Amino acid sequence: MRGFPNAGFWSTGVHFRELSGWIGGPMPLFKRKPFSLLEPPKDLDSKEKVFQIRFTREIFRDYQDYINRLNLYRQRVWSCKISGKSNLTFEEALVSEHHAVSKAQKLPTELMAPVLRMIQYSTLGLYELVEKIYASLQEAVFEGLELYAKQDGLEAACRILKILGSDGTKMYEVGWLLRDKTIISTSVIKGEDLIHRRPPVSRNTLKIFIRDATSQNAPWVIHENLAKRYGIPIEPLNDMMFGEGLQKKGRKRREDGPMGDPKKKMKNDEEHINVPIKYPIDDLLVQPSADDHALLKRPPLATDFRVPKYSVGDLLMVWDFCLSFGRVLNLSPFSLVDLENAICHKESNALLVEIHTAIFHLLIKDEGDYFTILRTKKRKLKVTLVTWAEYLCDFLEMTKTEELTRNIATVRKGYYSLIDTDIKLKILRELVEEAITTSPVREKLSERVDQRQALAATKRESTRKAKDEQNSSIDGLQDDNESVDEQGKGKEEKDKNNISRSKTEGKRHGVQHLETEIEKLSIRSSPLGKDRHYNRYWFFRREGRLFVESADTKEWGYYSTKEELDVLMSSLNVKGIRERALKRQLDKLYSKISNALEKRSKEITHKLLLEEAVLRRSTRVRAQPRDNPSMSFLKYVNKWKDN
């Protein structure tokens, strides 16, 4: 018997208690049905030799019974009860369940009770229940939660330390975090300053948690010990969905048969349909209706980025910062496309060198941690296009981030351009995050905040005056028309009214000009809004594309034509809270966004014509690579450089 696979000798005189629980946790399903393990043979002698299956601890006296059982476990007829994966062997299903349980345990302790309450006795299907819980957690706030909040006009990482109440207004004591999660300072902020990017857990984690935490699913019933631990009611509710209790519901099924009384069911359904719903509601709760035929299908997103899709957010952040604070950095503007091409280029190029050098000079001027490191190493405080790589290595050492520091040797050897694209962007993101904390940037932010407030006050006053003059003009027009009919002095009075109207229109143009100036002083780009599934929509005034970021920030795409914008807006369902707010914002900025999209389309057409011309010329004369518009970043010259 020795040497048989998965077999083992087991002495019956020891470890009987270990077999009482057999395998802890959920059991794999056999052909999607529950499966029970065999109980130990009775009257086993302590000296008796038996066969045992390693991963179930089942015991067999007869070798053939043992082999038959083992062969059954090796067949791909098993599925993981928690994740739903099928076509597995028994042992693979066990491993899958172990991994799934580990994921489910990632649910924060603070969320256990509220999530379990939403699960208990719910009659929703799994995916509907996941979406309901996910939507409710989107705005969840609890002590210990790490998220972002507004600090001096910028987004900064923080941790909720305490939830406070002030005259019915939610206030939060937060700790501001460094990259290593160390709290550097604390402050009290309003709830409106919190930035919810995504719920604290993913949909997949919720799905696994629901399956792991429940013993049945029609309705969902959580394990009794789990319910007692978190104070969840274990008695069925008196009223279930649509007012029917569990016992009442079961009794009706027994009396009326599996399908019940069709007439009664139809009557109940009609009553539920006629219950009025007050919109807007959470987007995920909006059900399809007859008037949804007017909604168009959402257009597909373009995803032809040169950088990895998960790095697009870093690309946009770096570009937006460099253009917003170009004067502080002494760095002249460049296009997003030029930055993307420069990042992906496998040779050294002036644009990337100038960006790094400009940020290094800013950090040196601030005399912070980076400045101290340079002084310790006795570096010169003037970074040049030749020595910039040395200063980059110093910065990478300062980050103490393994993913970045392991590239130091490559940079020192002069092979920076060969570093992976996503790592280049992560380095630039680290530089930008460090630059945001410097005094020159914060002073510029403060200055812009003051300017925006002053312009906003002027705009409010101009708007008020324009409305007053418009009302006066309307009243005067009515009086003057009566005067014309009576006295025949029409022409002179009409001229006066036209002058009055011209003045009012001039005031309106003044307000529009103020709006433009306020927008120019925007501190940092913010998303326009979110759609049904929490995807965020971004528009940058210097870039003719409407970007879309997935809820988990891992995927990006964009729309680039006016036609796509129109279809997108026609696909938004205003019955949902998020899509209503997004459509309102798109309506407000429609002219600006559509003009930017059309302008970019024309520029691309012109660029393609130039590339064709270069291609035709290259067949006659050897054209220089720099002549190609897609290589325009190679011609970049920093016109704002401080020499």
Side-chain angles (χ1 to χ4, degrees):
M1 290 186 293
R2 206 179 296 269
F4 285 122
N6 292 297
F9 294 118
W10 183 77
S11 173
T12 58
V14 193
H15 306 313
F16 256 118
R17 290 182 182 178
E18 292 183 9
L19 295 173
S20 61
W22 297 94
I23 298 172
M27 279 288 297
L29 301 177
F30 175 62
K31 295 183 179 179
R32 298 193 178 278
K33 294 180 180 178
F35 180 82
S36 299
L37 298 180
L38 296 174
E39 294 290 334
K42 295 181 179 179
D43 304 324
L44 279 177
D45 187 85
S46 60
K47 296 180 180 179
E48 187 176 353
K49 302 299 181 181
V50 293
F51 299 93
Q52 183 185 41
I53 294 177
R54 170 178 49 81
F55 44 83
T56 65
R57 296 186 183 178
E58 289 174 297
I59 299 166
F60 301 85
R61 283 191 171 110
D62 183 74
Y63 173 69
Q64 192 58 49
D65 290 343
Y66 159 77
I67 286 295
N68 291 341
R69 193 73 163 186
L70 190 60
N71 286 336
L72 173 65
Y73 290 145
R74 286 172 175 170
Q75 294 179 36
R76 294 193 172 277
V77 292
W78 303 89
S79 57
C80 172
K81 181 181 179 181
I82 301 176
S83 68
K85 291 182 180 178
S86 58
N87 197 32
L88 305 174
T89 67
F90 185 93
E91 197 167 8
E92 287 172 345
L94 278 179
V95 172
S96 176
E97 289 182 352
H98 174 73
H99 290 161
V101 169
S102 298
K103 287 183 179 179
Q105 290 171 350
K106 292 181 180 178
L107 194 73
T109 306
E110 296 82 1
L111 296 180
M112 289 289 284
V115 169
L116 289 172
R117 286 192 192 97
M118 285 187 274
I119 296 172
Q120 185 75 313
Y121 299 123
S122 171
T123 57
L124 295 174
L126 176 62
Y127 292 98
E128 289 80 5
L129 182 57
V130 167
E131 291 296 342
K132 177 186 175 182
I133 297 173
Y134 189 83
S136 69
L137 295 182
Q138 181 68 22
E139 306 296 328
V141 179
F142 52 88
E143 292 180 6
L145 175 67
E146 292 183 3
L147 70 171
Y148 285 80
K150 295 177 184 176
Q151 183 189 36
D152 299 331
L154 292 172
E155 293 181 11
C158 67
R159 181 182 300 135
I160 303 293
L161 301 179
K162 191 178 292 184
I163 300 175
L164 310 171
S166 177
D167 300 326
T169 303
K170 283 284 187 182
M171 304 289 288
Y172 302 92
E173 182 183 349
V174 300
W176 302 104
L177 303 176
L178 292 174
R179 282 187 292 272
D180 61 358
K181 306 297 183 182
T182 303
I183 295 177
I184 53 172
S185 63
T186 62
S187 59
V188 176
I189 63 173
K190 297 179 181 178
E192 62 194 40
D193 290 330
L194 296 177
I195 300 169
H196 298 265
R197 291 188 171 175
R198 57 182 178 273
V201 292
S202 67
R203 289 182 176 88
N204 191 47
T205 299
L206 286 173
K207 182 177 73 172
I208 292 170
F209 178 78
I210 291 170
R211 281 175 165 157
D212 185 42
T214 55
S215 56
Q216 70 175 61
N217 61 1
W220 296 97
V221 178
I222 62 176
H223 295 297
E224 188 172 339
N225 61 338
L226 200 60
K228 290 179 178 178
R229 181 178 176 184
Y230 289 97
I232 311 299
I234 56 176
E235 293 297 325
L237 302 176
N238 291 329
D239 295 316
M240 294 297 293
M241 182 174 284
F242 305 139
E244 285 193 311
L246 281 176
Q247 297 172 354
K248 183 179 177 183
K249 194 174 182 179
R251 186 166 61 250
K252 281 192 172 185
R253 283 178 179 167
R254 288 192 296 272
E255 292 172 357
D256 300 333
M259 299 302 293
D261 187 341
K263 291 182 180 179
K264 290 181 180 179
K265 184 178 185 304
M266 187 178 295
K267 183 179 178 182
N268 286 337
D269 289 345
E270 288 173 356
E271 289 175 359
H272 306 326
I273 291 170
N274 293 331
V275 175
I277 300 174
K278 187 177 180 181
Y279 295 108
I281 60 176
D282 187 272
D283 301 63
L284 296 174
L285 301 179
V286 176
Q287 298 296 321
S289 62
D291 58 346
D292 286 346
H293 68 277
L295 297 177
L296 298 180
K297 185 178 179 181
R298 197 150 301 174
L301 291 164
T303 57
D304 55 341
F305 301 106
R306 292 195 63 193
V307 302
K309 280 190 284 187
Y310 58 82
S311 296
V312 173
D314 290 342
L315 178 75
L316 288 168
M317 175 194 180
V318 172
W319 173 74
D320 191 42
F321 174 79
C322 290
L323 266 65
S324 298
F325 296 94
R327 288 295 182 185
V328 176
L329 293 166
N330 294 314
L331 185 68
S332 57
F334 48 85
S335 71
L336 178 62
V337 172
D338 277 351
L339 176 59
E340 185 175 18
N341 288 332
I343 285 285
C344 297
H345 196 55
K346 292 302 181 183
E347 294 180 15
S348 180
N349 59 83
L351 178 54
L352 282 189
V353 175
E354 289 285 4
I355 293 172
H356 284 85
T357 304
I359 298 179
F360 290 147
H361 281 141
L362 176 66
L363 298 180
I364 292 170
K365 182 180 178 181
D366 189 56
E367 298 187 358
D369 294 341
Y370 184 66
F371 172 82
T372 304
I373 289 172
L374 297 184
R375 292 296 293 268
T376 303
K377 292 192 172 188
K378 298 182 179 179
R379 297 269 193 215
K380 293 181 180 179
L381 301 182
K382 181 71 174 176
V383 186
T384 68
L385 301 183
V386 177
T387 62
W388 74 278
E390 298 174 13
Y391 294 81
L392 176 57
C393 292
D394 294 336
F395 178 78
L396 294 178
E397 288 176 0
M398 187 182 86
T399 65
K400 296 180 181 178
T401 304
E402 184 183 355
E403 187 179 26
L404 303 183
T405 55
R406 62 184 177 213
N407 294 282
I408 292 175
T410 305
V411 176
R412 283 211 170 104
K413 291 176 183 177
Y415 298 130
Y416 164 82
S417 56
L418 299 182
I419 293 175
D420 290 341
T421 301
D422 61 328
I423 299 298
K424 289 181 186 176
L425 283 168
K426 285 180 180 178
I427 292 171
L428 281 170
R429 184 192 67 198
E430 290 288 328
L431 278 167
V432 167
E433 289 181 349
E434 194 70 27
I436 287 171
T437 65
T438 62
S439 297
V441 170
R442 291 199 171 274
E443 287 169 7
K444 176 58 70 175
L445 284 171
S446 179
E447 177 187 325
R448 288 185 181 178
V449 168
D450 293 341
Q451 290 174 343
R452 279 174 64 90
Q453 289 175 345
L455 284 171
T458 305
K459 177 191 167 187
R460 287 193 296 271
E461 183 63 20
S462 298
T463 303
R464 186 187 63 77
K465 288 182 178 179
K467 284 183 179 178
D468 290 344
E469 290 186 10
Q470 185 178 12
N471 293 334
S472 299
S473 175
I474 292 171
D475 293 340
L477 179 62
Q478 292 173 347
D479 295 340
D480 292 339
N481 284 339
E482 292 174 4
S483 175
V484 169
D485 294 336
E486 293 175 3
Q487 302 177 19
K489 297 180 181 179
K491 188 176 184 304
E492 182 181 350
E493 301 299 337
K494 284 180 181 177
D495 289 343
K496 289 180 180 179
N497 290 326
N498 288 336
I499 292 170
S500 176
R501 274 194 291 269
S502 297
K503 288 181 178 179
T504 303
E505 289 171 1
K507 293 281 186 184
R508 285 180 197 151
H509 289 306
V511 171
Q512 291 173 356
H513 172 71
L514 286 170
E515 287 179 349
T516 303
E517 292 302 310
I518 290 173
E519 185 188 349
K520 288 179 181 177
L521 292 170
S522 63
I523 297 168
R524 193 173 184 180
S525 299
S526 299
L528 300 175
K530 303 173 185 176
D531 64 17
R532 172 186 174 91
H533 298 292
Y534 295 96
N535 300 314
R536 286 174 285 275
Y537 290 71
W538 297 80
F539 176 69
F540 301 88
R541 59 189 177 89
R542 306 175 188 89
E543 172 64 24
R545 283 181 281 184
L546 181 63
F547 291 91
V548 184
E549 176 190 15
S550 66
D552 60 4
T553 73
K554 294 179 180 178
E555 298 282 331
W556 285 80
Y558 66 87
Y559 296 121
S560 59
T561 68
K562 181 176 177 293
E563 292 73 23
E564 288 174 332
L565 174 63
D566 293 337
V567 175
L568 167 66
M569 294 176 67
S570 298
S571 73
L572 298 174
N573 194 335
V574 296
K575 291 180 181 178
I577 295 170
R578 290 183 294 282
E579 295 203 350
R580 172 176 289 203
L582 175 60
K583 188 171 189 305
R584 190 173 294 166
Q585 196 67 6
L586 289 172
D587 283 333
K588 179 181 176 182
L589 299 173
Y590 179 77
S591 296
K592 192 170 295 180
I593 296 174
S594 60
N595 289 340
L597 297 178
E598 290 184 325
K599 180 183 176 184
R600 181 177 180 271
S601 296
K602 290 177 182 177
E603 289 174 351
I604 289 176
T605 302
H606 180 65
K607 178 182 174 182
L608 291 173
L609 291 173
L610 285 177
E611 288 179 351
E612 288 178 8
V614 169
L615 184 63
R616 287 195 299 271
R617 183 154 56 91
S618 66
T619 60
R620 301 190 300 271
V621 182
R622 186 175 180 81
Q624 296 297 318
R626 290 169 180 260
D627 293 338
N628 191 321
S630 64
M631 306 293 281
S632 59
F633 68 93
L634 293 173
K635 296 181 179 180
Y636 176 78
V637 176
N638 186 4
K639 298 175 182 177
W640 295 354
K641 193 169 185 176
D642 184 8
N643 295 317

